[in-house]
Amino acid sequence: MQGLIEPNEIIFSQGLKASNDNYLKWFANKQVYTTGQQISLIVGEVSDEFVTPNGCIGYSIIIDPSPITPGGDPRMIIIFNGSPASFPFKDDANIQNLPIFNSPYNAYVEIKDALQFDNQLRVACTVSIIYYRLKYRDR
């Protein structure tokens, strides 16, 4: 059986070309890769709407305020497909580099979400979106 698993196999190691199961065989030449974007928002700004890219199987959202100011609990409102969700931030919390939202991930279901951001943090911030995508190894 040696040589059937390609080097650096990162999606379902059981996804072998030699598998008798077509579902497992489909993953044999795929890999996960990430793309991302950053959105800078001033206080009170609402971003344009961003649609997840083709092949997206999941995403993470990270908020980087600069810096949080004392005097209340500010919020970031994320609008998922037209439905707002409010994410509160504590003034004394260090939230940098922590995803505030991780979408459900499923390697065989493409996600098509429209995302919009409403900065209610009372400070400027950068929103980073990391998209997890599936691609063929040789493309």
Side-chain angles (χ1 to χ4, degrees), residues 56-95:
C56 183
I57 59 170
Y59 58 89
S60 296
I61 298 173
I62 299 168
I63 307 294
D64 186 8
S66 52
I68 292 289
T69 53
D73 293 335
R75 300 180 174 278
M76 171 62 74
I77 298 171
I78 302 176
I79 304 165
F80 298 95
N81 300 315
S83 299
S86 183
F87 292 84
F89 290 87
K90 297 292 182 190
D91 289 337
D92 58 351
N94 181 2
I95 59 166

Side-chain angles (χ1 to χ4, degrees), residues 24-136:
L24 295 178
K25 194 181 290 186
W26 184 83
F27 288 100
N29 63 346
K30 309 291 188 306
Q31 69 182 24
V32 173
Y33 72 107
T34 58
T35 57
Q37 69 185 115
Q38 289 190 323
I39 305 153
S40 296
L41 297 174
I42 60 172
V43 177
E45 181 180 10
V46 178
S47 74
D48 292 333
E49 189 172 71
F50 297 92
V51 177
T52 55
N54 291 335
C56 183
I57 59 170
Y59 58 89
S60 296
I61 298 173
I62 299 168
I63 307 294
D64 186 8
S66 52
I68 292 289
T69 53
D73 293 335
R75 300 180 174 278
M76 171 62 74
I77 298 171
I78 302 176
I79 304 165
F80 298 95
N81 300 315
S83 299
S86 183
F87 292 84
F89 290 87
K90 297 292 182 190
D91 289 337
D92 58 351
N94 181 2
I95 59 166
Q96 296 178 5
N97 301 320
L98 297 175
I100 65 163
F101 180 80
N102 287 314
S103 73
Y105 297 88
N106 199 326
Y108 51 91
V109 176
E110 184 178 39
I111 292 176
K112 277 295 183 192
D113 282 347
L115 304 171
Q116 215 172 357
F117 302 92
D118 181 357
N119 182 9
Q120 299 297 316
L121 294 177
R122 294 193 298 268
V123 294
C125 72
T126 301
V127 177
S128 299
I129 310 171
I130 301 169
Y131 302 108
Y132 301 97
R133 301 171 74 187
L134 209 61
K135 75 170 187 172
Y136 288 97

